[in-house]
Amino acid sequence: MRSDKAKSGVDRAPHRSLLKASGYTDWEIERPWIGVANAYNGIIPGHVHLRSITDAVKAGIYAAGGLPIEFPVIGVGDGVAMNHFGMKFSLPSRELIMDSIEVMAQAHALDALVLVTNCDKIIPGMAMAAASLNIPSIVISGGPMLAGVYNGQDIDLSTVFESVGKLMAGRLTKKELLEIENVACPTYGSCAGMFTANTMNCMMEALGLALPGNGTIPAVYSERERLAKDAGRKIIELFEKNIRPRDILTKKAFENAIAVDLALGGSTNTALHLPAIAYEAGIELPIELFNTIGEKVPHLCNMSPGGNHHIQDLYRAGGVQAVMSRLAEKKLLHTNLITVTGKTVKQNLLGAKVKDETVIRPLNNPYHAKGGLAVLKGSLAPDGGIVKQSAVAEEMLVHRGPARVFNSEEEAYAAIQKKVIKDGDVVVIRYEGPRGGPGMREMLSPTSALAGMGMDKTVALITDGRFSGATRGSAIGHVSPEAAAGGPIALVKEGDMILVDIPQKRLDLLVDKKELERRRSEWKPDMQQVESPYLNRYRRMVSSGARGAVLENLS
């Protein structure tokens, strides 16, 4: 056991003495040491209940013969951090989470890890730690919240953001907005749509790093605590069999995850997080795979924000395993891969079935013939940009319009509030990339405001920043190279014509090459200045969004 380095032999008497001061007995100390990374905090609704999930995990570990050793992990609540300076810290927190878990696991010679998570960057940060450390690990999420109900319709957090836009447009009263605000998020858990948190929790299941049910069992169901107990028991089996993350996180496992992501119509943030997890596992995962796999994998689930279904509906329809079983019918998955169950994907899928074909459609009757995400390239995005094509209105799949250029989210949002954006415009928000922002902020407030004003079907939005999973409309993010790196997006001027052609996977700036060369000769970066030592260190080390915005290895 790794933990023998900290507990075994005469030389470790002082170490054992300290452990006994913590209340551990000799027979407990002899057990495998299982680190339980608890991302509880009191501000994220997806995390406020993680103490009970962690207690269930610890009970499972203890019952199976291990010693659970709990430690904390930070977490940023993206919804609360949205549309202000705080959002600059969300994506950079991913690497802090990974590093903090490494510190705890290595410093204390832990034998294995259970990673208790639920929202946004905490999930990939924990998965990156598992891939990097490569000691037996399992992910368990806190589960999704239930949808709210307003005027007989299911609603969620994206409804509130879009309602702000409706208020701006005079389509909603302040009284109605307050009513929606009060009912949209009725329980704890990760926000009810197929936003980033729930997408990534489904990805953990699809990768094989979490138990079946991880992505969809609602947070308020007792079944979630039972799953946590099972995760605690299962980690002992993984330890005994020495099944490690890199045994699970193979290139084919990532291809499976992308296939499931495309079938679900998941968040564009997966194009950042899956490559970043792969990077820590020593695997290159080019974003072009989203297009390659998307040509074969149809979009089967019309989840919020693009559709009306929520995670509770997917749960009742059979969950992620039902989606995977449907894809496996046509050999769209690799099924001979090992998972944290100790079994293969094929074995896990025995008995999985679709229980509601209005939620998980048949392969011959998909919502869209191609997957939910698309990578666009062209003269405006030589290294690519990402769009949730399943959430784009039919009439916006191809759009040509004049650029309205802003060098920050605040500038763009102010213009939207003042109603100076017109039908047909292409809003360009730059210097919000990993380096330029720094931190690659999400742009949910501008996109939701446009949607609430009814302009998601007439206006496109392009940024080197990123979008919340709750974003819908013709919103293209992660444009690379970013403006701060001298990408073409830095050269766009007010009124330039831009072509968005999602079916052809194109994003082009319709400006003569000689004119662009002239502009480049005069260009100077206009990066946002921040008074934050951490963000400025991050800015110096972070890579392109097209590479997952990972921190470069400087050794």
Side-chain angles (χ1 to χ4, degrees), residues 18-309:
L18 290 170
L19 290 163
K20 289 172 183 178
S22 297
Y24 299 127
T25 64
D26 283 322
W27 55 268
E28 287 176 308
I29 293 169
E30 291 171 359
R31 291 178 166 205
W33 290 4
I34 312 300
V36 183
N38 180 4
Y40 162 82
N41 67 45
I43 196 166
I44 308 176
H47 287 228
V48 295
H49 65 303
L50 291 189
R51 284 172 172 161
S52 63
I53 298 296
T54 298
D55 285 345
V57 166
K58 289 159 67 177
I61 293 169
Y62 208 81
L67 177 63
I69 300 175
E70 180 183 344
F71 60 88
V73 171
I74 65 164
V76 173
D78 278 14
V80 180
M82 196 72 66
N83 195 222
H84 60 86
F85 183 73
M87 179 48 71
K88 292 179 182 292
F89 290 87
S90 176
L91 184 60
S93 74
R94 187 184 69 181
E95 270 64 22
L96 277 180
I97 290 161
M98 174 181 67
D99 291 346
S100 68
I101 292 170
E102 178 189 359
V103 166
M104 293 298 289
Q106 297 285 38
H108 304 106
L110 302 180
D111 294 305
L113 291 168
V114 180
L115 304 162
V116 184
T117 183
N118 211 23
C119 290
D120 299 313
K121 312 311 160 293
I122 302 96
I123 307 160
M126 287 188 165
M128 290 163 72
S132 176
L133 287 163
N134 200 34
I135 61 175
S137 302
I138 190 169
V139 173
I140 173 70
S141 81
M145 70 171 63
L146 299 180
V149 179
Y150 182 70
N151 287 341
Q153 299 294 317
D154 284 352
I155 64 171
D156 54 40
L157 182 66
S158 65
T159 312
V160 189
F161 273 96
E162 291 185 14
S163 294
V164 174
K166 289 182 179 180
L167 182 69
M168 291 180 197
R171 299 168 59 197
L172 201 72
T173 67
K174 287 185 178 180
K175 180 176 181 292
E176 290 170 322
L177 177 60
L178 180 60
E179 290 173 352
I180 291 168
E181 173 188 329
N182 287 339
V183 300
C185 301
T187 73
Y188 52 77
S190 47
C191 299
M194 190 55 74
F195 312 149
T196 302
N198 289 323
T199 302
M200 288 308 301
N201 282 327
C202 291
M203 292 301 93
M204 294 301 102
E205 193 173 331
L207 281 169
L209 206 57
L211 294 176
N214 181 75
T216 59
I217 298 170
V220 294
Y221 285 15
S222 298
E223 186 181 356
R224 174 61 58 179
E225 288 202 16
R226 298 199 299 270
L227 187 73
K229 289 179 182 177
D230 287 341
R233 288 173 58 85
K234 187 59 66 173
I235 193 62
I236 300 300
E237 181 182 328
L238 295 174
F239 167 73
E240 291 172 344
K241 293 181 177 179
N242 196 29
I243 298 175
R244 303 185 181 208
R246 292 193 186 188
D247 300 325
I248 296 167
L249 298 175
T250 63
K251 180 74 173 290
K252 289 181 178 180
F254 284 100
E255 291 174 356
N256 280 356
I258 291 173
V260 173
D261 187 18
L262 296 170
L264 291 171
S267 166
T268 52
N269 281 307
T270 54
L272 285 175
H273 299 323
L274 290 177
I277 298 166
Y279 177 83
E280 298 301 331
I283 296 169
E284 184 178 354
L285 198 72
I287 59 170
E288 290 80 8
L289 268 177
F290 283 85
N291 284 347
T292 303
I293 296 173
E295 288 296 314
K296 299 178 288 184
V297 174
H299 175 221
L300 302 179
C301 303
N302 203 23
M303 311 293 293
S304 174
N308 295 323
H309 292 136

Side-chain angles (χ1 to χ4, degrees), residues 249-434:
L249 298 175
T250 63
K251 180 74 173 290
K252 289 181 178 180
F254 284 100
E255 291 174 356
N256 280 356
I258 291 173
V260 173
D261 187 18
L262 296 170
L264 291 171
S267 166
T268 52
N269 281 307
T270 54
L272 285 175
H273 299 323
L274 290 177
I277 298 166
Y279 177 83
E280 298 301 331
I283 296 169
E284 184 178 354
L285 198 72
I287 59 170
E288 290 80 8
L289 268 177
F290 283 85
N291 284 347
T292 303
I293 296 173
E295 288 296 314
K296 299 178 288 184
V297 174
H299 175 221
L300 302 179
C301 303
N302 203 23
M303 311 293 293
S304 174
N308 295 323
H309 292 136
H310 292 84
I311 304 300
Q312 64 203 47
D313 301 311
L314 181 60
Y315 164 74
R316 295 190 193 105
V320 173
Q321 298 298 303
V323 175
M324 294 179 72
S325 69
R326 182 134 284 178
L327 296 177
E329 291 173 12
K330 295 294 183 180
K331 302 188 186 306
L332 296 172
L333 291 182
H334 307 288
T335 59
N336 61 341
L337 310 179
I338 193 69
T339 72
V340 291
T341 64
K343 301 176 182 178
T344 63
V345 172
K346 182 177 182 179
Q347 290 170 319
N348 291 342
L349 294 180
L350 292 174
K353 63 180 180 180
V354 175
K355 300 174 184 177
D356 186 342
E357 293 199 334
T358 65
V359 179
I360 306 171
R361 282 195 173 182
L363 290 166
N364 61 3
N365 183 33
Y367 285 99
H368 300 95
K370 296 181 181 180
L373 301 179
V375 175
L376 311 185
K377 288 192 173 185
S379 60
L380 186 54
D383 294 341
I386 189 83
V387 64
K388 183 186 280 194
Q389 61 182 352
S390 60
V392 179
E394 186 75 23
E395 56 266 43
M396 288 297 292
L397 290 174
V398 179
H399 180 76
R400 185 179 186 272
R404 306 298 306 277
V405 183
F406 306 94
N407 285 351
S408 71
E409 178 189 7
E410 287 83 358
E411 288 181 18
Y413 190 60
I416 293 167
Q417 286 180 308
K418 293 175 184 175
K419 301 180 183 178
V420 299
I421 303 301
K422 306 300 181 186
D423 290 342
D425 285 348
V426 178
V427 176
V428 176
I429 307 177
R430 63 190 179 191
Y431 294 104
E432 288 286 5

